[in-house]
Amino acid sequence: MIKLTSLGQVGYIVDINNVRLVIDPYLSNYVEDKYGKQFKSLIKSPILPESIKNVDYILISHEHEDHCDPFTLGKIFEVNQDVKIICPRECNEIIKEIPFKEILNLKIQEKKQILDINIEVVPAAHPELEINNGYSRFMGFLISINNFVMYHAGDTIPFLTANNYLPKGIDLAFLPINERNFFKDSAGIIGNMTCREALEWVEQLKIKHWIPTHWDTFSNNGTYQEELDIVAKRINKSNYTWINAGETISI
């Protein structure tokens, strides 16, 4: 049994049998407080970070504060003193005040086995690949149990070398659809793939089902659900599921 609980933005609690993973939790107003009202959250945090207990590993895709939020991570640590964290090296400075039991800066395609769950680090392009001596500044995660494979992309756009890292026929993917464009670039906001790109990438990678992420939290860096729904309906591609912040599904 796998349970997925959306935390909003790209954040998820992933419960697999007796293992609990937390991915990119953003459950505060840290970005607004640091960068201003244009980053005011559109959604209320669905859960208090200190109420997330029994966490085995936290997975962080990159150092941007809506993914690596020191306030949220500190609160989760308060009630999970033995939790370990997998993150890029660029996150180490941000989380240095939190005494995690173990910080794992894994290289691309390096794996961590947790009971019968396998976690593999893959690169992400945000918006470019940045890889140095095997370490990627931006990461995604392949999470596998038995023959079921999930792919959490973190923040990324499609990239040419994806086939070197991602298997064909992924069972479930989490893909960010807060498109990049001229106006975001001009404002210094890094977007990800467009709805059309997500649909095409799903087709190319033969992903069986996917969940849109990075659409609900910021008005200046999100996407309306209708944008994806209209395009998907026109091309008859409906193999995705919207999950609202705080919602839990079982697969």
Side-chain angles (χ1 to χ4, degrees), residues 81-181:
Q81 299 282 308
D82 291 328
V83 68
K84 303 176 181 67
I85 187 167
I86 298 173
C87 62
R89 296 180 297 178
E90 288 79 3
C91 295
N92 292 353
E93 179 66 20
I94 297 172
I95 63 175
K96 66 181 181 180
E97 302 298 328
I98 307 171
F100 285 110
K101 184 175 183 179
E102 187 175 11
I103 299 174
L104 299 174
N105 302 135
L106 302 183
K107 291 185 175 182
I108 294 171
Q109 295 184 306
E110 194 169 353
K111 300 177 181 180
K112 178 65 181 180
Q113 191 77 26
I114 309 168
L115 299 179
D116 53 351
I117 301 165
N118 187 71
I119 300 173
E120 179 179 347
V121 167
V122 295
H126 189 43
E128 306 290 338
L129 294 173
E130 295 188 30
I131 300 171
N132 184 12
N133 294 323
Y135 293 96
S136 183
R137 177 183 174 186
F138 307 111
M139 303 196 315
F141 302 98
L142 290 171
I143 303 169
S144 307
I145 179 168
N146 300 325
N147 294 318
F148 190 87
V149 180
M150 293 185 289
Y151 167 48
H152 193 290
D155 271 4
T156 195
I157 61 173
F159 54 98
L160 288 174
T161 57
N163 288 335
N164 295 342
Y165 307 105
L166 302 176
K168 285 290 198 302
I170 288 169
D171 294 285
L172 180 66
F174 302 78
L175 302 179
I177 59 168
N178 58 317
E179 67 176 46
R180 67 207 178 283
N181 59 46

Side-chain angles (χ1 to χ4, degrees), residues 5-55:
T5 301
S6 172
L7 301 177
Q9 191 67 333
V10 307
Y12 271 85
I13 299 172
V14 180
D15 290 304
I16 309 175
N17 297 336
N18 295 318
V19 174
R20 170 165 281 191
L21 310 175
V22 176
I23 306 174
D24 280 3
Y26 179 66
L27 297 168
S28 75
N29 296 315
Y30 190 89
V31 175
E32 178 188 357
D33 292 343
K34 184 172 182 178
Y35 297 105
K37 294 294 184 182
Q38 68 270 30
F39 289 101
K40 182 177 178 61
S41 179
L42 297 173
I43 59 173
K44 183 179 179 181
S45 293
I47 186 172
L48 293 173
E50 58 267 33
S51 69
I52 305 175
K53 300 179 180 179
N54 303 312
V55 181

Side-chain angles (χ1 to χ4, degrees), residues 196 199 227-237 240:
R196 290 177 181 270
L199 290 164
E227 293 184 64
L228 176 60
D229 291 342
I230 290 170
V231 176
K233 184 177 180 180
R234 285 292 185 94
I235 62 175
N236 195 29
K237 299 293 182 185
Y240 62 90

